[in-house]
Amino acid sequence: MESCRRTLCSLSLLCVLLDIQLDGVLGATHVEIEHHLEMGRKLLAAGQLAEALSHYHSAVEGDSKNYLTYYKRAAVFLAMGKSKSALPDLTKAILLKPDFLAARLQRGNILLKQGNTQEAREDFEAVLQRSPDHEEARDQLMKANELEELQEEAHATYHQGDYSASIAVLERVIEISPWDPDTRELRAECYIRMGDPQKAIQDLTPTTKLRNDNRGAYLKLSMLHYSLGDHHESLNLIRECLRLDQDDKECFTHYKQVKRLSKQLDSAEELIEQFRFQEAISKYETAMKTEPKIPLYTNLAKERICFCLVKLNSALDAIDVCSEAHQRDPRNANVLRDRAEAYILNQEYEKAVEDYIEAKEFDSEGERNDLKEGLERAQKLLKVSKKRDYYKILGVGRSANKQEVIKAYRKLAQQWHPDNFQSESDKKEAEKRFIDIASAKEVLIDPEMRQKFDAGEDPLDPESQQGGGGGGHGWPHHFNPFDSGGSFHFKFQHN
C-alpha cells in the first residue's frame, strides 16, 4: 500500500514538472502573458501600433482562452484602420464571454459601417437585452433600421432610372456605412450613367481595398481612366487586376489594348523630344487607328501633329490640322498657340495675334509665359509688317534658307533694276523697290539681323536704332547705291 502511495506521488510530481516544461515549450507563462499585455497597453497609448500589435499577438498565442486579449488586439486593429481584421477577434471574445457587452457594441458598430444591417441589429439588440438603458446601443439600432430603409429606397430609385434621386439617398447611406463597397459601387454606377466618370472614380477607388480580390473594380476604374485619356493610370490599374489573377480574360483583353496605345503615345512623345517630328506624326496617326472610338485620343493626336507640323515649318498643313484640332477642342490653349505660330510662318500676323489673345483667355492663372511672349512677338511682327516685311518683299517663306533668299533676291533685283525703266517716274519707283529688295536680302542673310526681325524688330528701321535719323527706308551700313547722284550699274554679288 505504502509502495503504491509512493508511486502515485512520484507520478504527480512528474506531471507537475512536465506541465512546467510544456509551458516553456508550447505556450507562455502567466507572467509572460501579463508582460505582453502591459507592453501592448503602453505601446498602444504611445501610438506605436505595430509594436503593440506584436505584443498582443504573443499574448493571444500564449493564452487562447482569454477573451480580453482578443478584445485588446481588436482595439489595435481598429486603431490601425483594419476593421476587417478586428472582426474575428471581437467574435472570438464574444464566444468566450457572451455577456461581454463592450465587444458586442464594438462589433455592431463595425458591421453597421460595413452595411450589414441585420447582423449589426442583432448585436445592438443583444446589448439592449442585458442593458435596456444603453443609450449608444439604442441610437445605433435606430441607425441600423434607418440604413435598411435607405438601402431599399436607393435600389428602387436606381432600377427606376432616377439616378440623381438614388445618389441623394446613397449620400446618407454612405454617411452611416462608409465601409460598404456595395453602396459605393452602386453610386459609381449612377455617376457613370449620368456621364460623370470623375465622381465614379472617386467612389470606386476605395472599394478596391474594402472588398477582397475586387478585380471588377480595378477593371472598371481602368476603363474609366482610359475613357478620360489617362492611359498611364489605366495601365497601372489593369495591371493590379492581373496581379490578382493573371488569367482574368476581361482584364487581359483590356490590358492589351491599353498597353498598345500607351506604348504608341509614349513613343511619339519620345520622338518629339528627339526632334524627329515627321516620325512622331506617323506614330500619332497609328495611335488614332488603334483607338478611333474615344475622341480624347484623337484630340491629343491632332494637337501634337499640329505642333510637329509647325516645327517642320509646314505652315499651310499646320494651319489645316491646327484648325481641325481647334474645332475638336476649342478651349485648348496649346492648339491656339501652335496655330498662331503657323499663321506667323504664313505671314498672317493679324490671325496670329487673334489666336494668342484667345489662348491667353484660357490661361486663367496668367502663368504661361509662352503665351505672353508669343502675343508680344506676334504684335511686333504685325506692327513691323505694316511698315516693311522682308519676307514678303522677296516672296519667300519665313523658313527660307540663305540660298533661297539669294535666289529670290537676284530674280527680283534683275526685274526692278532702274536701268530697265525709261520714264523718270518709273525709275524712281524701281529705285524704291530695288532698295527694299536689297535691304531684305541683307537682313535675311545676316543671322543676327534676321533673328531681330523674326522677334518683331526691324533692324533697319531708323526709329528702332539709337541715334538713328533719316527718312523712310534704311540701308545696311548706311549705304545707298543711288546716293552718288550718278547712274548705278547693277552687278550681282556671289555671296
Side-chain angles (χ1 to χ4, degrees):
M1 196 69 157
E2 184 64 26
S3 175
C4 287
R5 273 200 298 270
R6 287 200 193 100
T7 304
L8 286 171
C9 286
S10 299
L11 286 171
S12 297
L13 182 60
L14 180 60
C15 287
V16 170
L17 290 171
L18 283 171
D19 282 342
I20 291 171
Q21 289 175 345
L22 285 172
D23 266 343
V25 175
L26 300 178
T29 65
H30 177 73
V31 173
E32 289 173 332
I33 292 168
E34 286 301 319
H35 170 73
H36 286 306
L37 290 172
E38 179 62 18
M39 286 300 297
R41 184 188 66 78
K42 288 180 179 178
L43 290 165
L44 178 59
Q48 295 174 261
L49 303 181
E51 293 83 352
L53 185 61
S54 177
H55 280 285
Y56 282 124
H57 282 325
S58 298
V60 169
E61 289 169 6
D63 184 2
S64 60
K65 302 296 184 183
N66 188 338
Y67 69 95
L68 276 175
T69 58
Y70 289 103
Y71 182 72
K72 290 177 180 178
R73 188 169 69 174
V76 180
F77 278 129
L78 287 172
M80 297 175 77
K82 298 180 178 181
S83 59
K84 286 190 288 187
S85 298
L87 267 181
D89 275 357
L90 291 170
T91 300
K92 184 68 174 178
I94 293 166
L95 285 172
L96 291 169
K97 187 174 174 59
D99 62 346
F100 190 12
L101 300 188
R104 282 265 186 198
L105 186 63
Q106 192 69 272
R107 187 175 70 173
N109 288 337
I110 294 172
L111 291 168
L112 183 64
K113 287 183 178 180
Q114 290 180 341
N116 298 320
T117 54
Q118 185 175 346
E119 294 176 47
R121 189 188 295 110
E122 289 172 2
D123 274 340
F124 298 137
E125 287 173 346
V127 174
L128 289 169
Q129 190 173 7
R130 291 181 177 274
S131 179
D133 297 327
H134 200 295
E135 189 175 344
E136 184 181 351
R138 188 169 58 250
D139 291 344
Q140 292 299 84
L141 180 60
M142 289 175 64
K143 277 188 180 179
N145 292 331
E146 179 191 359
L147 178 60
E148 193 167 55
E149 292 175 5
L150 290 169
Q151 287 172 334
E152 291 176 3
E153 184 182 354
H155 281 88
T157 51
Y158 172 79
H159 289 301
Q160 291 164 10
D162 192 349
Y163 305 118
S164 58
S166 184
I167 288 171
V169 175
L170 288 167
E171 186 172 348
R172 173 58 180 159
V173 172
I174 290 173
E175 284 179 16
I176 300 172
S177 57
W179 301 339
D180 178 14
D182 290 336
T183 301
R184 291 184 179 275
E185 286 170 356
L186 180 61
R187 190 167 70 171
E189 192 59 38
C190 290
Y191 281 130
I192 290 170
R193 291 177 182 269
M194 291 181 70
D196 195 341
Q198 292 284 9
K199 286 185 178 178
I201 287 170
Q202 290 174 12
D203 266 335
L204 279 174
T205 300
T207 68
T208 59
K209 301 292 186 291
L210 292 171
R211 194 194 300 282
N212 292 330
D213 190 15
N214 200 348
R215 281 173 283 152
Y218 279 119
L219 175 61
K220 192 167 286 188
L221 279 167
S222 177
M223 295 176 79
L224 286 169
H225 278 284
Y226 184 75
S227 71
L228 291 170
D230 189 354
H231 56 95
H232 287 132
E233 184 60 19
S234 177
L235 190 58
N236 291 336
L237 288 162
I238 204 63
R239 281 174 173 156
E240 285 298 314
C241 177
L242 292 172
R243 188 177 62 81
L244 292 169
D245 182 1
Q246 62 181 2
D247 296 323
D248 189 299
K249 290 182 180 179
E250 284 187 279
C251 287
F252 186 67
T253 300
H254 184 59
Y255 166 74
K256 288 193 295 183
Q257 172 69 8
V258 181
K259 186 181 179 183
R260 185 186 306 116
L261 180 67
S262 189
K263 186 176 180 181
Q264 290 167 352
L265 295 175
D266 289 346
S267 176
E269 285 303 305
E270 287 173 8
L271 289 166
I272 288 175
E273 289 175 7
Q274 297 166 12
F275 304 103
R276 295 158 65 184
F277 300 112
Q278 194 62 56
E279 292 173 71
I281 290 172
S282 298
K283 191 65 71 173
Y284 272 116
E285 287 172 344
T286 302
M288 284 191 286
K289 293 174 183 176
T290 297
E291 183 46 81
K293 296 179 182 178
I294 297 178
L296 282 169
Y297 293 109
T298 302
N299 294 355
L300 172 65
K302 294 289 184 182
E303 173 194 335
R304 300 305 280 159
I305 291 172
C306 154
F307 172 81
C308 290
L309 287 168
V310 171
K311 292 298 182 182
L312 290 168
N313 295 318
S314 300
L316 294 176
D317 289 339
I319 290 169
D320 287 343
V321 175
C322 294
S323 296
E324 182 186 350
H326 178 56
Q327 286 181 337
R328 299 180 69 92
D329 189 4
R331 299 181 63 84
N332 190 323
N334 291 333
V335 170
L336 286 163
R337 175 203 63 197
D338 293 336
R339 188 171 70 173
E341 290 300 313
Y343 280 135
I344 288 173
L345 285 172
N346 208 43
Q347 302 172 35
E348 297 180 74
Y349 306 117
E350 287 185 6
K351 290 182 178 179
V353 169
E354 289 171 4
D355 271 359
Y356 266 121
I357 290 172
E358 188 177 352
K360 278 179 63 64
E361 290 175 4
F362 301 131
D363 179 27
S364 57
E365 302 294 326
E367 296 178 349
R368 291 191 55 170
N369 288 328
D370 61 329
L371 300 182
K372 181 182 177 182
E373 292 168 1
L375 176 59
E376 290 174 355
R377 185 165 56 88
Q379 289 170 332
K380 283 182 181 179
L381 288 168
L382 176 59
K383 183 179 178 182
V384 167
S385 72
K386 290 180 178 178
K387 294 181 178 180
R388 186 163 50 177
D389 187 331
Y390 296 122
Y391 290 104
K392 284 187 176 180
I393 289 170
L394 292 184
V396 296
R398 297 186 72 86
S399 60
N401 58 35
K402 184 176 180 180
Q403 288 72 28
E404 290 169 331
V405 169
I406 292 172
K407 182 179 179 181
Y409 159 71
R410 287 175 175 170
K411 180 179 178 182
L412 290 170
Q414 283 181 322
Q415 179 183 343
W416 288 101
H417 193 281
D419 289 350
N420 295 335
F421 299 88
Q422 302 300 319
S423 71
E424 196 62 32
S425 61
D426 286 345
K427 278 184 178 291
K428 284 186 177 181
E429 177 62 24
E431 188 176 300
K432 180 182 174 184
R433 289 285 188 94
F434 188 85
I435 291 174
D436 282 344
I437 293 163
S439 297
K441 188 261 292 186
E442 290 300 322
V443 169
L444 298 184
I445 65 171
D446 183 290
E448 187 177 342
M449 286 199 290
R450 183 169 179 171
Q451 185 178 10
K452 284 185 179 180
F453 185 72
D454 286 344
E457 176 188 343
D458 187 348
L460 302 182
D461 185 354
E463 292 180 9
S464 65
Q465 307 298 316
Q466 287 189 352
H473 296 283
W475 184 265
H477 316 301
H478 307 285
F479 171 70
N480 186 325
F482 301 107
D483 276 350
S484 61
S487 96
F488 173 73
H489 298 285
F490 174 80
K491 182 178 180 181
F492 286 116
Q493 297 177 1
H494 299 282
N495 53 359

